[in-house]
Amino acid sequence: MSIRIEDSGHCLIVHNRTEKRGAITPELYDSILAAIKQAHAPRIRALILTGGAFFCAGGDLQTLRTRAALPRNDRRQRIERLHDVIRAMHASPVPLIAAVEGGAAGAGLSLALACDFIIAAKASSFTAAYVKAGLTPDGGLTHALSRLLPRQMAIDACLLGKPVTAERLDALGIVTELCDKGEALDGAHRLAATLARGPQQAQSRIRKLLSVAPENDLATQLDLEADFMAEAQGSPEAAEGIAAFLEKRRPEFGK
């Protein structure tokens, strides 16, 4: 088993290369949470989650089989560990990028959809596989799928466990970029580099606005937009961005 955090300078990469196609483990939870904590450093501009030949196959069924003997509250506590990770990903100080090779299944799909961007190999597939094992989705998967997919497609994915290809998710605008096999991580690095050249505080505010918008009513969202825009207009980032636009040059944020 090999789960490690790599520091590439402007981004952190959580490598989830395990024997069971990147199956979810407590070590993976700990690594993602540790990377998010480290991402509060100003120089870190993105987090990348990646696996080996398969991004993440979700829960290990052998492990899940043993949980049947546990009291219900104990089983619930173990599920909440995953949910703590999903909450932390949504509250991350920097954008998250999933670099998907092979595919993502079950809770692995939940992790991918909790990221802000998905770079996926063309041949990869995404599967809400729970129903095939007599289980129900967790990790916020139904929350994500009900918002991202047409209702019938979400029902097919969850009730029938039908895999969805990366190319179809790309056509729906859910996958950020398709790439050839073996190139997802390279694509994620390029995207992280693009983010690193952008205005850090503006990116953080935009991400926050988009995160809370589905739950806010219009009045609440307008108030938050007004607060953030007023802050942004007085920032060094805006001064540089506006000057660069007027002077017809590339902005140099963070200098």
Side-chain angles (χ1 to χ4, degrees):
M1 180 179 296
S2 177
I3 300 174
R4 64 186 178 90
I5 301 173
E6 176 189 352
D7 188 334
S8 73
H10 61 265
C11 71
L12 299 172
I13 305 100
V14 178
H15 294 272
N16 180 34
R17 298 177 182 272
T18 61
E19 295 175 357
K20 297 183 178 181
R21 300 201 308 168
I24 293 243
T25 62
E27 290 78 14
L28 178 59
Y29 297 158
D30 292 343
S31 295
I32 294 173
L33 292 174
I36 291 172
K37 185 176 181 179
Q38 293 175 37
H40 284 85
R43 67 179 178 82
I44 302 299
R45 303 299 305 278
L47 294 179
I48 298 173
L49 303 186
T50 188
F54 199 90
F55 175 75
C56 181
D60 178 8
L61 291 182
Q62 290 289 355
T63 300
L64 294 177
R65 187 177 190 179
T66 65
R67 290 188 184 173
L70 297 176
R72 183 182 185 279
N73 284 344
D74 288 353
R75 298 197 298 269
R76 172 70 183 256
Q77 288 176 4
R78 283 162 173 77
I79 297 164
E80 284 296 338
R81 289 204 65 191
L82 168 62
H83 289 183
D84 286 343
V85 172
I86 298 297
R87 293 184 189 102
M89 291 172 68
H90 282 280
S92 169
V94 298
L96 291 100
I97 306 167
V100 178
E101 296 283 352
L109 177 55
S110 298
L111 288 177
L113 293 178
C115 292
D116 300 284
F117 304 97
I118 299 175
I119 310 296
K122 295 173 185 175
S124 59
S125 64
F126 298 79
T127 311
Y130 297 88
V131 71
K132 294 183 177 181
L135 300 170
T136 58
D138 56 7
L141 186 60
T142 55
H143 183 273
L145 292 181
S146 66
R147 286 158 174 76
L148 294 172
L149 297 181
R151 183 176 183 273
Q152 194 61 49
M153 192 172 175
I155 288 174
D156 285 349
C158 291
L159 288 186
L160 300 178
K162 285 185 178 180
V164 184
T165 65
E167 291 185 332
R168 187 163 189 196
L169 291 184
D170 178 64
L172 291 169
I174 297 167
V175 165
T176 309
E177 179 184 329
L178 289 175
C179 61
D180 291 333
K181 182 179 179 180
E183 295 183 3
L185 185 54
D186 288 341
H189 275 294
R190 289 192 297 271
L191 177 54
T194 298
L195 290 166
R197 292 192 293 270
Q200 186 173 24
Q201 294 304 314
Q203 289 172 352
S204 178
R205 293 186 185 103
I206 291 167
R207 192 171 181 275
K208 176 66 173 178
L209 286 169
L210 292 172
S211 177
V212 300
E215 283 72 42
N216 283 347
D217 58 30
L218 179 59
T220 301
Q221 192 70 8
L222 286 172
D223 283 342
L224 189 59
E225 287 183 351
D227 286 342
F228 281 9
M229 185 58 156
E231 291 176 17
Q233 286 176 351
S235 70
E237 289 180 349
E240 169 60 13
I242 293 170
F245 182 83
L246 294 175
E247 296 165 13
K248 295 181 172 56
R249 61 174 174 83
R250 176 175 292 182
E252 296 182 0
F253 295 111
K255 291 188 178 182

